[in-house]
Amino acid sequence: MTKMIYPGQTIGIIGGGQLGRMMAVAAKEAGYKIAVLEPTMDSPCGQVADIRIVAAYDDEAALEELAEVSDVITYEFENIDYDGLKRLTQMAYVPQGAELVRITQNRVTEKQMIVEAGCPVAPYIVTSTYEELLEKIGEIGFPCIVKTARGGYDGKGQQLLKSAEDLQLAKDLFTHSQCIAEGFVPFTKEISVIVQRNGDGETYCLPVGENIHINHILHETIVPARIELSTAQLAEEAALKIADSLKLIGTLAVEMFVLEDGSIVINECAPRPHNSGHYSIEACNISQFTQHIRAVCGWPLRKPKLWAPSIMVNVLGQHVVPLTNSISKFPDWSVHLYGKSEAKVNRKMGHVTIMTDDINTALQQITDSGIWPE
Ligand code: AMP
């Protein structure tokens, strides 16, 4: 039997960003208390938490304090210190364990895991040095993308190589970590599936989202994704296979490419609620955050149902002022801002969700609003 954590008890969250904040808000709805470990003072999650521990993620005393005040511990991002998390599993109840983080924070172990689960990935090679890249590049050819094994996000830590002449552009990446180089996938769409599982093995996927990136940062998620039903089924089956083989507890976001023939290739996974699942707060009978809290607290999961087609649009630093000036024009938009004080360019500050009967009209409304100039 899975351990049950009851309302009134305390959920500890490692990481104080917007994902932690939305987890905390979902948990508070059911009456949980929240403790957050985060290095900055006024974090999005810290603003809504009951207990704030302001320290580095690998600070031993801080982790001990978090363990002491929390009845269960979860995390909102994957680049936390694996050894610290592992120690925490010995001092506190961490139902997600530490292995999921170890595997997904390194592209090499992540790809191996996806392949072992029986899912397709782009052809790739692992290279520890630039010289090794030069030796092995013939195995995948051009165009290809070199990515640091660790620490990349929103397109950082990667380099597209169109031909052999571009090879030196990848040199700097090796100062950061080992790299992988993978064949360029000529995708027609990018999609994601958020799969969630509790300790009793109950597993559900949220409807497949279609993701549109601008400058490598997620701009919009359209749900349901505008893909064939058979592709959506392939996507869901792949996410379920990966969740099963990991014996997932909590949330895994699986990002995928759709090819011309409707087949899919898995890009990467994140072991936490995901930007492309924010639409579920309004548009589903269960949000990714509530389901995550249910999973880590040992509750039964709810089968997700989409109330209406929806679009989620990210609000970056440069969009905050135009959005706030336009709030009165769009009564049907659900506006979320994360409480970050500095609206830096390209920093994720919030998002808007629009539920609609007609995706094309809503897309046009987003364009016409002028808030998101291309
Ligand atoms: P990632 O950090 O791996 O999610 O990559 C960021 C973005 O780069 C993806 O969302 C794609 O748009 C693009 N990308 C990454 N890998 C590939 C690939 N193998 N082929 C084509 N595009 C890619």
Side-chain angles (χ1 to χ4, degrees):
M1 263 304 274
T2 316
K3 183 168 163 183
M4 185 104 174
I5 304 297
Y6 291 95
Q9 291 189 283
T10 300
I11 300 173
I13 301 177
I14 305 175
Q18 62 267 23
L19 299 173
R21 177 186 177 101
M22 289 183 271
M23 267 185 209
V25 168
K28 280 185 153 274
E29 215 170 80
Y32 287 102
K33 293 198 181 74
I34 299 295
V36 62
L37 169 64
E38 152 73 32
T40 61
M41 273 303 283
D42 184 37
S43 66
C45 184
Q47 291 167 14
V48 299
D50 301 273
I51 301 169
R52 280 166 291 273
I53 303 170
V54 180
Y57 300 121
D58 58 354
D59 180 319
E60 289 203 24
L63 286 167
E64 271 172 39
E65 192 183 339
L66 185 70
E68 228 159 79
V69 298
S70 304
D71 297 291
V72 60
I73 293 177
T74 184
Y75 49 83
E76 61 122 39
F77 76 120
E78 62 273 37
N79 289 322
I80 45 182
D81 178 55
Y82 165 69
D83 293 318
L85 185 63
K86 198 157 173 223
R87 268 200 311 280
L88 208 51
T89 61
Q90 287 143 16
M91 306 188 261
Y93 178 51
V94 188
Q96 293 161 277
E99 276 310 280
L100 184 59
V101 160
R102 183 186 65 76
I103 293 167
T104 53
Q105 69 183 200
N106 184 315
R107 289 188 192 270
V108 178
T109 45
E110 180 180 67
K111 282 216 193 287
Q112 281 165 353
M113 174 279 288
I114 296 168
V115 171
E116 276 162 25
C119 296
V121 297
Y124 72 100
I125 50 173
V126 180
T127 61
S128 295
T129 60
Y130 179 61
E131 290 65 37
E132 200 183 345
L133 176 71
L134 299 183
E135 265 167 43
K136 288 191 180 169
I137 192 74
E139 292 174 35
I140 51 159
F142 299 97
C144 68
I145 301 186
V146 184
K147 302 180 179 180
T148 55
R150 287 173 170 278
Y153 68 97
D154 288 347
K156 293 189 176 70
Q158 39 181 285
Q159 180 64 51
L160 171 69
L161 306 182
K162 290 190 184 138
S163 69
E165 276 153 36
D166 290 343
L167 273 164
Q168 20 77 31
L169 298 175
K171 206 167 183 176
D172 277 357
L173 295 177
F174 290 88
T175 56
H176 184 78
S177 77
Q178 189 184 40
C179 291
I180 60 154
E182 62 182 44
F184 185 85
V185 179
F187 60 81
T188 54
K189 279 200 161 43
E190 293 188 79
I191 57 171
S192 55
V193 178
I194 289 161
V195 56
Q196 300 182 295
R197 187 174 177 278
N198 67 9
D200 292 328
E202 277 185 307
T203 314
Y204 290 114
C205 295
L206 283 170
V208 183
E210 172 183 338
N211 299 326
I212 296 166
H213 296 88
I214 296 182
N215 297 329
H216 293 283
I217 302 171
L218 182 65
H219 168 55
E220 266 168 356
T221 298
I222 299 172
V223 191
R226 296 168 297 177
I227 53 176
E228 296 292 328
L229 184 63
S230 54
T231 301
Q233 281 165 348
L234 278 179
E236 189 168 313
E237 276 163 24
L240 290 172
K241 267 196 212 168
I242 295 172
D244 251 18
S245 85
L246 285 169
K247 301 221 171 352
L248 174 75
I249 294 181
T251 303
L252 190 76
V254 187
E255 295 181 31
M256 311 178 189
F257 301 121
V258 179
L259 307 186
E260 187 82 54
D261 64 0
S263 63
I264 53 155
V265 168
I266 313 292
N267 177 23
E268 61 176 3
C269 302
R272 51 165 170 79
H274 192 257
N275 194 168
S276 65
H278 292 354
Y279 73 89
S280 59
I281 295 175
E282 287 86 10
C284 291
N285 62 340
I286 181 98
S287 83
Q288 61 168 346
F289 300 102
T290 305
Q291 193 86 297
H292 181 81
I293 294 297
R294 292 178 80 104
V296 296
C297 289
W299 289 31
L301 301 191
R302 184 179 306 156
K303 187 175 187 329
K305 180 176 157 59
L306 185 70
W307 295 130
S310 297
I311 305 174
M312 188 275 331
V313 200
N314 265 338
V315 176
L316 305 181
Q318 61 272 34
H319 307 134
V320 174
V321 171
L323 172 69
T324 42
N325 288 340
S326 304
I327 285 174
S328 56
K329 290 191 218 153
F330 301 108
D332 294 333
W333 290 13
S334 296
V335 173
H336 296 248
L337 287 164
Y338 307 141
K340 298 181 186 177
S341 49
E342 248 190 294
K344 288 189 209 145
V345 171
N346 286 348
R347 186 178 195 201
K348 287 179 184 171
M349 301 296 290
H351 70 269
V352 168
T353 298
I354 308 169
M355 291 165 72
T356 174
D357 294 329
D358 180 357
I359 288 286
N360 287 332
T361 306
L363 285 170
Q364 194 57 50
Q365 189 186 50
I366 292 166
T367 306
D368 294 346
S369 75
I371 299 167
W372 294 273
E374 288 297 300

Short mmCIF file of all heavy atoms in Angstrom, two decimals, residues 258-297:
data_model
loop_
_atom_site.label_atom_id
_atom_site.label_comp_id
_atom_site.label_asym_id
_atom_site.label_seq_id
_atom_site.Cartn_x
_atom_site.Cartn_y
_atom_site.Cartn_z
N VAL A 258 6.93 14.94 -34.51
CA VAL A 258 6.06 14.20 -35.43
C VAL A 258 6.67 14.31 -36.82
O VAL A 258 7.04 15.40 -37.26
CB VAL A 258 4.63 14.80 -35.45
CG1 VAL A 258 3.75 14.04 -36.44
CG2 VAL A 258 4.02 14.78 -34.05
N LEU A 259 6.79 13.18 -37.50
CA LEU A 259 7.36 13.17 -38.85
C LEU A 259 6.24 13.20 -39.89
O LEU A 259 5.07 12.97 -39.58
CB LEU A 259 8.23 11.92 -39.04
CG LEU A 259 9.31 11.70 -37.99
CD1 LEU A 259 10.19 10.51 -38.36
CD2 LEU A 259 10.18 12.94 -37.83
N GLU A 260 6.64 13.48 -41.11
CA GLU A 260 5.72 13.58 -42.24
C GLU A 260 4.75 12.38 -42.32
O GLU A 260 3.55 12.55 -42.57
CB GLU A 260 6.59 13.63 -43.52
CG GLU A 260 5.84 13.90 -44.80
CD GLU A 260 5.57 15.39 -44.99
OE1 GLU A 260 6.55 16.15 -44.94
OE2 GLU A 260 4.39 15.75 -45.18
N ASP A 261 5.28 11.18 -42.07
CA ASP A 261 4.43 9.98 -42.20
C ASP A 261 3.58 9.70 -40.96
O ASP A 261 2.96 8.65 -40.85
CB ASP A 261 5.31 8.75 -42.51
CG ASP A 261 6.28 8.42 -41.36
OD1 ASP A 261 6.26 9.13 -40.33
OD2 ASP A 261 7.05 7.45 -41.49
N GLY A 262 3.58 10.63 -40.00
CA GLY A 262 2.74 10.45 -38.81
C GLY A 262 3.42 9.68 -37.69
O GLY A 262 2.83 9.50 -36.62
N SER A 263 4.65 9.21 -37.93
CA SER A 263 5.35 8.50 -36.85
C SER A 263 5.96 9.53 -35.89
O SER A 263 5.98 10.74 -36.18
CB SER A 263 6.43 7.58 -37.42
OG SER A 263 7.39 8.34 -38.10
N ILE A 264 6.47 9.05 -34.77
CA ILE A 264 7.03 9.97 -33.76
C ILE A 264 8.47 9.57 -33.39
O ILE A 264 8.85 8.41 -33.52
CB ILE A 264 6.18 9.99 -32.46
CG1 ILE A 264 5.99 8.55 -31.94
CG2 ILE A 264 4.86 10.69 -32.65
CD1 ILE A 264 5.75 8.49 -30.47
N VAL A 265 9.21 10.58 -32.93
CA VAL A 265 10.56 10.37 -32.39
C VAL A 265 10.58 11.10 -31.05
O VAL A 265 10.11 12.23 -30.95
CB VAL A 265 11.62 10.98 -33.35
CG1 VAL A 265 12.98 11.05 -32.69
CG2 VAL A 265 11.69 10.18 -34.65
N ILE A 266 11.10 10.43 -30.01
CA ILE A 266 11.13 11.09 -28.70
C ILE A 266 12.34 12.02 -28.63
O ILE A 266 13.46 11.60 -28.95
CB ILE A 266 11.25 10.06 -27.55
CG1 ILE A 266 10.25 8.91 -27.73
CG2 ILE A 266 11.11 10.74 -26.19
CD1 ILE A 266 8.83 9.23 -27.57
N ASN A 267 12.12 13.25 -28.20
CA ASN A 267 13.23 14.20 -28.04
C ASN A 267 13.80 14.11 -26.63
O ASN A 267 14.92 13.69 -26.43
CB ASN A 267 12.77 15.61 -28.38
CG ASN A 267 13.88 16.64 -28.17
OD1 ASN A 267 15.06 16.30 -28.19
ND2 ASN A 267 13.51 17.88 -27.93
N GLU A 268 13.01 14.49 -25.64
CA GLU A 268 13.54 14.44 -24.27
C GLU A 268 12.40 14.37 -23.27
O GLU A 268 11.23 14.54 -23.63
CB GLU A 268 14.43 15.66 -24.00
CG GLU A 268 13.71 16.98 -24.11
CD GLU A 268 14.58 18.17 -23.75
OE1 GLU A 268 15.76 17.99 -23.46
OE2 GLU A 268 14.04 19.29 -23.75
N CYS A 269 12.76 14.13 -22.01
CA CYS A 269 11.75 13.99 -20.95
C CYS A 269 12.09 14.93 -19.80
O CYS A 269 13.27 15.19 -19.53
CB CYS A 269 11.76 12.58 -20.38
SG CYS A 269 11.46 11.29 -21.57
N ALA A 270 11.08 15.39 -19.11
CA ALA A 270 11.30 16.18 -17.89
C ALA A 270 10.48 15.55 -16.76
O ALA A 270 9.29 15.29 -16.95
CB ALA A 270 10.86 17.63 -18.12
N PRO A 271 11.11 15.29 -15.61
CA PRO A 271 10.43 14.54 -14.54
C PRO A 271 9.62 15.44 -13.61
O PRO A 271 9.78 15.41 -12.40
CB PRO A 271 11.61 13.92 -13.79
CG PRO A 271 12.69 14.96 -13.91
CD PRO A 271 12.51 15.62 -15.24
N ARG A 272 8.75 16.26 -14.20
CA ARG A 272 8.03 17.28 -13.42
C ARG A 272 6.91 17.84 -14.28
O ARG A 272 6.91 17.63 -15.50
CB ARG A 272 8.99 18.41 -13.05
CG ARG A 272 9.72 18.89 -14.29
CD ARG A 272 10.41 20.19 -14.15
NE ARG A 272 11.26 20.46 -15.30
CZ ARG A 272 10.85 20.90 -16.49
NH1 ARG A 272 9.56 21.14 -16.69
NH2 ARG A 272 11.70 21.10 -17.48
N PRO A 273 5.97 18.57 -13.66
CA PRO A 273 5.00 19.28 -14.49
C PRO A 273 5.73 20.15 -15.50
O PRO A 273 6.88 20.56 -15.28
CB PRO A 273 4.23 20.12 -13.47
CG PRO A 273 4.34 19.35 -12.20
CD PRO A 273 5.72 18.76 -12.22
N HIS A 274 5.06 20.45 -16.60
CA HIS A 274 5.76 21.04 -17.74
C HIS A 274 4.98 22.23 -18.27
O HIS A 274 3.76 22.27 -18.22
CB HIS A 274 5.87 19.96 -18.82
CG HIS A 274 6.79 20.27 -19.95
ND1 HIS A 274 6.33 20.67 -21.18
CD2 HIS A 274 8.13 20.23 -20.03
CE1 HIS A 274 7.37 20.84 -21.98
NE2 HIS A 274 8.49 20.59 -21.30
N ASN A 275 5.72 23.17 -18.81
CA ASN A 275 5.12 24.38 -19.38
C ASN A 275 3.99 24.04 -20.37
O ASN A 275 2.97 24.72 -20.43
CB ASN A 275 6.24 25.18 -20.08
CG ASN A 275 5.88 26.61 -20.43
OD1 ASN A 275 6.75 27.38 -20.78
ND2 ASN A 275 4.62 27.00 -20.37
N SER A 276 4.16 22.96 -21.13
CA SER A 276 3.15 22.62 -22.13
C SER A 276 1.89 22.01 -21.51
O SER A 276 0.94 21.71 -22.23
CB SER A 276 3.74 21.66 -23.17
OG SER A 276 4.07 20.43 -22.55
N GLY A 277 1.88 21.84 -20.18
CA GLY A 277 0.69 21.28 -19.53
C GLY A 277 -0.09 22.31 -18.74
O GLY A 277 -1.08 21.98 -18.06
N HIS A 278 0.31 23.58 -18.83
CA HIS A 278 -0.37 24.61 -18.03
C HIS A 278 -1.84 24.77 -18.41
O HIS A 278 -2.67 25.16 -17.59
CB HIS A 278 0.34 25.97 -18.16
CG HIS A 278 1.71 26.00 -17.55
ND1 HIS A 278 2.24 24.97 -16.83
CD2 HIS A 278 2.67 26.98 -17.57
CE1 HIS A 278 3.46 25.30 -16.42
NE2 HIS A 278 3.74 26.50 -16.86
N TYR A 279 -2.15 24.48 -19.67
CA TYR A 279 -3.54 24.61 -20.13
C TYR A 279 -4.49 23.79 -19.25
O TYR A 279 -5.67 24.10 -19.12
CB TYR A 279 -3.67 24.16 -21.60
CG TYR A 279 -3.57 22.66 -21.76
CD1 TYR A 279 -4.71 21.85 -21.67
CD2 TYR A 279 -2.34 22.03 -21.93
CE1 TYR A 279 -4.61 20.48 -21.77
CE2 TYR A 279 -2.23 20.66 -22.01
CZ TYR A 279 -3.37 19.89 -21.93
OH TYR A 279 -3.28 18.52 -21.99
N SER A 280 -3.96 22.70 -18.65
CA SER A 280 -4.83 21.78 -17.91
C SER A 280 -5.43 22.44 -16.66
O SER A 280 -6.42 21.95 -16.13
CB SER A 280 -4.06 20.52 -17.52
OG SER A 280 -2.93 20.85 -16.72
N ILE A 281 -4.88 23.57 -16.22
CA ILE A 281 -5.43 24.23 -15.02
C ILE A 281 -6.90 24.59 -15.26
O ILE A 281 -7.76 24.31 -14.43
CB ILE A 281 -4.61 25.49 -14.64
CG1 ILE A 281 -3.19 25.09 -14.23
CG2 ILE A 281 -5.29 26.28 -13.52
CD1 ILE A 281 -2.26 26.28 -13.96
N GLU A 282 -7.18 25.20 -16.40
CA GLU A 282 -8.57 25.54 -16.69
C GLU A 282 -9.26 24.53 -17.61
O GLU A 282 -10.46 24.32 -17.52
CB GLU A 282 -8.68 26.92 -17.38
CG GLU A 282 -8.42 28.10 -16.50
CD GLU A 282 -6.95 28.45 -16.41
OE1 GLU A 282 -6.15 27.89 -17.19
OE2 GLU A 282 -6.59 29.29 -15.55
N ALA A 283 -8.47 23.97 -18.55
CA ALA A 283 -9.12 23.25 -19.66
C ALA A 283 -9.40 21.79 -19.37
O ALA A 283 -10.04 21.12 -20.18
CB ALA A 283 -8.26 23.37 -20.92
N CYS A 284 -8.95 21.27 -18.22
CA CYS A 284 -9.20 19.86 -17.91
C CYS A 284 -9.90 19.71 -16.56
O CYS A 284 -9.88 20.63 -15.73
CB CYS A 284 -7.88 19.08 -17.85
SG CYS A 284 -7.09 18.90 -19.45
N ASN A 285 -10.47 18.55 -16.35
CA ASN A 285 -11.11 18.26 -15.06
C ASN A 285 -10.07 17.99 -13.97
O ASN A 285 -10.41 17.84 -12.81
CB ASN A 285 -12.06 17.06 -15.20
CG ASN A 285 -11.31 15.81 -15.61
OD1 ASN A 285 -10.20 15.87 -16.14
ND2 ASN A 285 -11.92 14.66 -15.39
N ILE A 286 -8.80 17.89 -14.35
CA ILE A 286 -7.71 17.74 -13.37
C ILE A 286 -6.49 18.44 -13.96
O ILE A 286 -6.14 18.19 -15.11
CB ILE A 286 -7.44 16.25 -13.05
CG1 ILE A 286 -6.32 16.07 -12.00
CG2 ILE A 286 -7.08 15.44 -14.28
CD1 ILE A 286 -6.82 15.85 -10.64
N SER A 287 -5.86 19.31 -13.20
CA SER A 287 -4.68 19.99 -13.75
C SER A 287 -3.46 19.10 -13.52
O SER A 287 -3.46 18.22 -12.64
CB SER A 287 -4.47 21.35 -13.08
OG SER A 287 -3.79 21.17 -11.85
N GLN A 288 -2.40 19.36 -14.29
CA GLN A 288 -1.17 18.57 -14.09
C GLN A 288 -0.63 18.75 -12.68
O GLN A 288 0.00 17.84 -12.13
CB GLN A 288 -0.10 18.95 -15.12
CG GLN A 288 0.35 20.38 -15.08
CD GLN A 288 1.61 20.64 -15.92
OE1 GLN A 288 2.30 19.71 -16.33
NE2 GLN A 288 1.92 21.90 -16.17
N PHE A 289 -0.91 19.91 -12.07
CA PHE A 289 -0.38 20.17 -10.73
C PHE A 289 -1.17 19.40 -9.67
O PHE A 289 -0.59 18.81 -8.76
CB PHE A 289 -0.38 21.68 -10.46
CG PHE A 289 0.45 22.43 -11.45
CD1 PHE A 289 -0.14 23.13 -12.50
CD2 PHE A 289 1.83 22.39 -11.39
CE1 PHE A 289 0.64 23.80 -13.44
CE2 PHE A 289 2.62 23.04 -12.33
CZ PHE A 289 2.02 23.76 -13.35
N THR A 290 -2.50 19.42 -9.80
CA THR A 290 -3.32 18.67 -8.83
C THR A 290 -3.02 17.17 -8.95
O THR A 290 -2.88 16.47 -7.94
CB THR A 290 -4.81 18.95 -9.09
OG1 THR A 290 -5.01 20.36 -9.05
CG2 THR A 290 -5.69 18.29 -8.05
N GLN A 291 -2.93 16.70 -10.19
CA GLN A 291 -2.65 15.27 -10.38
C GLN A 291 -1.28 14.91 -9.77
O GLN A 291 -1.12 13.85 -9.16
CB GLN A 291 -2.68 14.95 -11.89
CG GLN A 291 -2.72 13.48 -12.22
CD GLN A 291 -4.13 12.90 -12.24
OE1 GLN A 291 -4.82 12.89 -11.22
NE2 GLN A 291 -4.57 12.41 -13.37
N HIS A 292 -0.31 15.80 -9.95
CA HIS A 292 1.03 15.54 -9.38
C HIS A 292 0.96 15.44 -7.86
O HIS A 292 1.54 14.52 -7.26
CB HIS A 292 2.00 16.65 -9.80
CG HIS A 292 3.39 16.45 -9.28
ND1 HIS A 292 4.30 15.60 -9.88
CD2 HIS A 292 4.02 16.95 -8.18
CE1 HIS A 292 5.42 15.60 -9.18
NE2 HIS A 292 5.28 16.41 -8.14
N ILE A 293 0.26 16.38 -7.26
CA ILE A 293 0.12 16.36 -5.80
C ILE A 293 -0.60 15.08 -5.37
O ILE A 293 -0.20 14.42 -4.40
CB ILE A 293 -0.63 17.63 -5.31
CG1 ILE A 293 0.20 18.89 -5.58
CG2 ILE A 293 -1.01 17.52 -3.83
CD1 ILE A 293 1.54 18.98 -4.86
N ARG A 294 -1.65 14.70 -6.10
CA ARG A 294 -2.36 13.45 -5.77
C ARG A 294 -1.40 12.27 -5.84
O ARG A 294 -1.40 11.39 -4.98
CB ARG A 294 -3.54 13.22 -6.72
CG ARG A 294 -4.66 14.24 -6.55
CD ARG A 294 -5.78 14.01 -7.57
NE ARG A 294 -6.65 12.95 -7.15
CZ ARG A 294 -7.88 13.13 -6.64
NH1 ARG A 294 -8.38 14.34 -6.52
NH2 ARG A 294 -8.61 12.11 -6.26
N ALA A 295 -0.55 12.25 -6.89
CA ALA A 295 0.36 11.11 -7.09
C ALA A 295 1.36 11.00 -5.94
O ALA A 295 1.60 9.91 -5.43
CB ALA A 295 1.09 11.24 -8.42
N VAL A 296 1.95 12.14 -5.54
CA VAL A 296 2.98 12.04 -4.50
C VAL A 296 2.37 11.90 -3.10
O VAL A 296 3.06 11.48 -2.16
CB VAL A 296 4.01 13.21 -4.54
CG1 VAL A 296 4.80 13.19 -5.83
CG2 VAL A 296 3.37 14.57 -4.31
N CYS A 297 1.08 12.24 -2.98
CA CYS A 297 0.43 12.10 -1.67
C CYS A 297 -0.35 10.79 -1.55
O CYS A 297 -1.07 10.59 -0.58
CB CYS A 297 -0.49 13.30 -1.41
SG CYS A 297 0.42 14.81 -1.09
#
